[in-house]
């Protein structure tokens, strides 16, 4: 059940992300950054595309725009859902879990199995 709760919450947030100004703003910033970065590159067919791609990725990460942009996206997407959607769902799941645990504890345990299932060894007389 917890997986379904998580998957549903994740799906709801992802469906909402691209409608928010924070996402659109971040996307525009990254697009502009990438265009500017690529404009500065002198292209020739012998260039290593993976090296170019990794350099661009590192530049984007070092710029700090992703971290700040993602924080704003979370504020616009997750925070409004936190108290009136997520918290009640989480509390309900916890209560259901604890009720199930309590029910398991109240069910009597089956009697213990005898430890030695082998037939008794024949007694040996010392006579």
């Amino acid at each position: 059940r917890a997986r379904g709760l998580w998957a549903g919450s994740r799906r709801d947030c992802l469906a909402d992300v691209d409608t928010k100004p924070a996402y659109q703003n971040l996307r525009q910033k990254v697009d502009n950054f990438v265009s500017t970065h690529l404009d500065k590159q002198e292209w020739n067919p012998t260039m290593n595309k993976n090296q170019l791609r990794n350099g661009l990725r590192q530049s984007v990460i070092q710029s700090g725009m992703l971290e700040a942009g993602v924080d704003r996206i979370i504020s616009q997407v997750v925070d409004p859902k936190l108290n009136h959607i997520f918290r009640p769902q989480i509390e309900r799941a916890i209560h259901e879990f604890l009720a199930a645990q309590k029910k398991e504890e109240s069910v009597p345990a089956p009697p213990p199995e005898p430890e030695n299932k082998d037939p008794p060894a024949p007694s040996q007389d010392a006579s």
Side-chain angles (χ1 to χ4, degrees):
R1 169 134 165 96
R3 281 185 182 256
L5 180 62
W6 167 248
S9 299
R10 182 176 177 272
R11 188 176 47 248
D12 291 346
C13 286
L14 287 175
D16 203 17
V17 165
D18 60 357
T19 66
K20 299 299 181 195
Y23 170 82
Q24 293 161 357
N25 186 30
L26 178 60
R27 183 176 176 148
Q28 187 63 49
K29 277 184 178 177
V30 171
D31 285 348
N32 290 341
F33 187 92
V34 168
S35 292
T36 302
H37 182 84
L38 293 177
D39 284 345
K40 294 176 186 174
Q41 300 296 317
E42 182 77 30
W43 172 252
N44 72 62
T46 62
M47 288 180 88
N48 183 326
K49 291 179 189 175
N50 285 333
Q51 225 172 9
L52 181 64
R53 196 175 294 122
N54 287 335
L56 174 58
R57 184 178 295 119
Q58 286 304 312
S59 295
V60 169
I61 290 168
Q62 289 170 359
S63 74
M65 78 176 87
L66 292 180
E67 196 171 323
V70 169
D71 284 347
R72 284 191 290 275
I73 291 170
I74 289 170
S75 294
Q76 289 182 7
V77 174
V78 176
D79 291 354
K81 296 176 182 354
L82 196 58
N83 287 324
H84 71 281
I85 296 176
F86 298 150
R87 188 175 309 248
Q89 289 176 340
I90 292 167
E91 287 174 354
R92 191 168 35 258
I94 290 170
H95 286 296
E96 288 171 6
F97 174 77
L98 292 176
Q101 292 289 80
K102 190 169 183 156
K103 190 182 255 187
E104 282 179 18
E105 289 173 5
S106 68
V107 174
E113 300 266 340
E115 285 187 29
N116 189 355
K117 291 186 178 182
D118 298 328
S123 60
Q124 296 178 0
D125 290 337
S127 46

